[in-house]
Amino acid sequence: MNFTNLLIDVADGVALVTINRPAALNALNIDVLKDLTDAFSSLQKNDSVACVILTGSGAKAFVAGADIAAMQPLNAVEAAHFARLGHALMSLIESCPKPVIAAVNGFALGGGCELAMACDMRIAAENARFGQPEVNLGVIPGFGGTLRLSRLIGKGRAKELIFTGDMVSAQEAFRIGLANKVVASEDLLAEAHSMAAKIAAKGPVAVRFAKEAIDSGLEMDLDRAGRFEADLFGLCFATEDQKEGMQAFLDKRQAKFTGR
Ligand code: HXC
C-alpha cells in the first residue's frame, strides 16, 4: 500500500498508520481523507492485521484539524460534501472489525480530535492537547464531534469544550475520559504497540464481537442490547477459538487462537 499522505507499516499483526503532512501539522484535506478511507478499507480485509495504531508524523501534532486553507473558499454544498467524506471515514474506522488505537502525539484539534474519537482507544503523549476549536473559525464540528464527544465525556463537558473552543491537556483528557492513558512522549508508540500486541494475542472473532456489542449496544435500549450481546456470545461457540480458549484453560496452557 502506497499513499501520498500516509506511511503504513505492518508487522506482527499490527498495522501502524501514520498521517504524514507534518508541515501542516497533519491537517486533513480531501486527499488525506481519501487516503485514510482507502487504507482502512484495505486494512479491514487484511487477515495479517489484528489491530491498527493511528498516529501523526512529527512530535508536534496528531492532527491539528481539517485543513483550514482548503476549507476557507468552499461553498455550502462543497462544505457539506467535505463533512460527509469525513463522516464516512469516521464510521469506517469506528466499524473496523479490528480495534484501532489512536496514539495522540501532540495537537488533536477539530477534525483531529474527531478522528481520535472514532478510534476505539486513545493513548495520549504528555504533550497532547485535545479540543474542538471550530467556533473560533465561525463553524461547528463537522466530522462527528458533537456526537462522539458528548457520548465519550457527557453532554455538559462536551458543550463546554465545543462552546468555548478550549484545549485540554493530556492529563485533563484522561481525567474526563477522553484519553485512556497518558504516557511520556518518548514511550507513546511503544505503549500503543504493547496494547496492540496484547489485543492481537486474543481471539480475533471474540474481540470483533466485543467491539460490535459495545458500539451497537450503546445505540440500543438495554433489553435489545442484552439480547444482541447474548446472540453474539452464542455465536462465539461456532468458532474454533472458543473450543481452543476454553480447552487451553482446562489444560492449564496458553491458548493458540487462529481466528476461525
Ligand atoms: C491547515 C494548519 C492547520 C489546520 C496548523 N496548520 N493547523 N493548516 N489547517 N487545521 C499549519 C499552519 O498554518 C502552519 O503553516 C503550520 O501548520 C504550523 O502551525 P503554526 O500555527 O505555525 O504552529 P503553532 O504556532 O505551534 O500553533 C499550533 C496550533 C495552530 C495551535 C495547532 O496551528 C492552530 O490553532 N491550528 C488550527 C487548529 C484548528 O482550528 N483546528 C480546527 C480546524 S476546523 P505555515 O505554512 O504557516 O507554516 C476543523 C473542522 C472539522 O477541524 C470538520 C470539518 C467538516
Side-chain angles (χ1 to χ4, degrees):
M1 281 183 287
N2 280 322
F3 296 100
T4 315
N5 300 289
L6 305 178
L7 304 170
I8 300 190
D9 180 39
V10 179
D12 301 325
V14 178
L16 175 66
V17 178
T18 306
I19 300 168
N20 191 29
R21 268 194 94 199
L25 302 188
N26 304 316
L28 304 172
N29 58 21
I30 283 195
D31 290 341
V32 182
L33 293 182
K34 286 187 174 158
D35 278 0
L36 281 168
T37 302
D38 290 345
F40 273 90
S41 301
S42 162
L43 288 170
Q44 72 174 4
K45 290 181 254 159
N46 185 336
D47 287 340
S48 66
V49 172
C51 195
V52 182
I53 299 170
L54 180 61
T55 194
S57 74
K60 209 167 154 183
F62 173 71
V63 168
D67 191 312
I68 298 169
M71 284 188 293
Q72 195 272 342
L74 298 183
N75 65 34
V77 172
E78 291 164 340
H81 174 69
F82 182 60
R84 284 179 185 188
L85 271 182
H87 270 277
L89 169 64
M90 304 305 155
S91 298
L92 180 69
I93 294 173
E94 201 166 51
S95 63
C96 178
K98 292 105 198 270
V100 184
I101 301 168
V104 182
N105 54 311
F107 293 110
L109 301 176
C113 188
E114 292 169 308
L115 183 62
M117 290 191 293
C119 299
D120 295 298
M121 282 99 38
R122 285 146 294 284
I123 304 178
E126 58 200 352
N127 72 329
R129 296 285 176 277
F130 295 79
Q132 296 288 162
E134 285 88 347
V135 290
N136 294 330
L137 304 166
V139 296
I140 68 169
F143 289 162
T146 60
L147 330 172
R148 292 192 180 87
L149 192 61
S150 46
R151 280 166 174 72
L152 262 178
I153 66 173
K155 198 159 86 166
R157 284 196 170 116
K159 284 182 175 174
E160 183 181 339
L161 279 186
I162 291 172
F163 295 172
T164 63
D166 281 349
M167 286 186 217
V168 295
S169 66
Q171 282 300 344
E172 178 64 0
F174 173 67
R175 194 185 70 80
I176 62 179
L178 183 49
N180 291 64
K181 57 172 81 176
V182 182
V183 298
S185 299
E186 60 272 23
D187 297 336
L188 179 66
L189 282 185
E191 185 67 32
H193 274 288
S194 154
M195 186 189 276
K198 203 181 274 184
I199 295 168
K202 312 298 179 199
V205 180
V207 172
R208 172 153 59 90
F209 285 175
K211 175 167 170 167
E212 266 184 58
I214 294 167
D215 286 334
S216 302
L218 271 172
E219 304 304 322
M220 299 174 190
D221 63 63
L222 271 186
D223 189 45
R224 278 168 38 119
R227 275 185 279 134
F228 183 57
E229 185 198 67
D231 287 347
L232 287 177
F233 177 81
L235 216 45
C236 292
F237 285 71
T239 67
E240 291 173 19
D241 283 351
Q242 174 268 329
K243 312 283 175 246
E244 165 64 8
M246 293 195 176
Q247 193 59 53
F249 174 82
L250 297 172
D251 295 347
K252 301 188 188 305
R253 61 174 171 82
Q254 201 68 32
K256 280 203 179 118
F257 295 114
T258 58
R260 287 195 293 272

